[in-house]
């Protein structure tokens, strides 16, 4: 266990319920190899603690504010120069975006996908409310339903995708 903790000090990571994330700034090929060793160390730690990671549920998301660093475009152009991470011998898929605790995070850190998903879900819930609450006359009850079903969607993690400062 101490060996795992020493390795994670090099690569950042978080654990939340059944959700695990590790990340590292990639500057050169050595950083890819270090991250792969940390993935292997995390898997060994999980095995020792009777936990199991499902490689098919694991994703790699390359985050960059430069379009030229998009790993999926790079892999298509130079397939032999791309580092593919593995977990238990299975390749980890690279993705353009991933839903994390209800928020879509994209490789360019733009929030259009998240906002579109939120608006679609809110519109659906608002339509359901209009159909279901036609006969409710009390404005306070309607407001309570709206606040709990629709507005709460926009308030969830809004500090991340719509910061005020």
């Amino acid at each position: 266990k101490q060996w795992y903790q020493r390795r994670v000090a090099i690569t950042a990571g978080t654990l939340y319920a059944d959700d695990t994330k590790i990340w590292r700034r990639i500057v050169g090929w050595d950083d890819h190899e270090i991250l792969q060793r940390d993935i292997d160390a995390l898997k060994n730690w999980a095995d020792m603690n009777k936990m199991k990671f499902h490689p098919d549920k694991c994703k790699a998301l390359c985050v960059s504010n430069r379009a030229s660093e998009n790993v999926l475009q790079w892999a298509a152009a130079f397939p032999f120069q791309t580092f593919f991470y593995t977990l238990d011998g299975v390749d980890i898929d690279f993705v353009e975006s991933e839903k994390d605790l209800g928020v879509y995070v994209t490789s360019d850190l733009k929030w259009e996908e998240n906002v579109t998903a939120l608006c679609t879900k809110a519109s659906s819930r608002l339509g359901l409310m209009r159909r279901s609450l036609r006969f409710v006359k009390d404005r306070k009850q309607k407001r309570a339903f709206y606040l709990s079903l629709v507005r709460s969607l926009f308030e969830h993690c809004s500090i991340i995708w719509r910061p005020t400062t």
Side-chain angles (χ1 to χ4, degrees):
K1 188 172 181 178
Q2 291 174 344
W3 180 78
Y4 167 73
Q5 289 174 340
R6 191 170 63 243
R7 297 295 305 147
V8 171
I10 295 171
T11 299
T14 62
L15 298 169
Y16 180 79
D18 66 343
D19 196 30
T20 304
K21 287 172 198 48
I22 61 173
W23 63 91
R24 175 181 194 82
R25 183 170 186 223
I26 305 295
V27 177
W29 195 262
D30 291 343
D31 293 314
H32 289 293
E33 292 173 347
I34 291 170
L35 183 56
Q36 179 59 59
R37 284 195 301 268
D38 291 337
I39 291 170
D40 296 337
L42 186 61
K43 191 218 179 290
N44 291 336
W45 175 84
D47 289 344
M48 288 187 314
N49 289 285
K50 309 287 189 244
M51 294 170 46
K52 182 168 176 53
F53 288 112
H54 298 281
D56 53 321
K57 292 184 177 181
C58 295
K59 306 291 183 226
L61 177 67
C62 178
V63 177
S64 174
N65 60 355
R66 290 183 255 171
S68 63
E69 291 185 18
N70 184 325
V71 74
L72 296 176
Q73 292 172 353
W74 179 264
F78 303 102
F80 299 109
Q81 296 293 322
T82 304
F83 194 96
F84 292 98
Y85 300 102
T86 62
L87 178 65
D88 204 18
V90 178
D91 285 347
I92 296 175
D93 294 329
F94 280 92
V95 293
E96 287 284 332
S97 69
E98 184 66 18
K99 190 173 183 180
D100 182 25
L101 300 176
V103 177
Y104 285 95
V105 179
T106 60
S107 59
D108 57 3
L109 290 180
K110 294 189 178 167
W111 303 106
E112 287 90 5
E113 184 175 351
N114 190 62
V115 171
T116 301
L118 282 174
C119 290
T120 301
K121 195 171 190 179
S123 178
S124 173
R125 286 188 182 183
L126 193 56
L128 174 68
M129 273 185 53
R130 284 183 177 159
R131 290 187 304 275
S132 302
L133 300 177
R134 270 193 332 216
F135 305 108
V136 175
K137 301 296 181 198
D138 187 8
R139 290 177 54 90
K140 287 183 181 181
Q141 283 182 336
K142 286 183 179 182
R143 183 176 189 276
F145 276 111
Y146 171 79
L147 292 176
S148 64
L149 293 175
V150 180
R151 185 172 160 185
S152 63
L153 291 172
F154 294 107
E155 292 174 345
H156 174 70
C157 294
S158 62
I159 196 68
I160 295 170
W161 59 270
R162 184 67 175 145
T164 56
T165 57

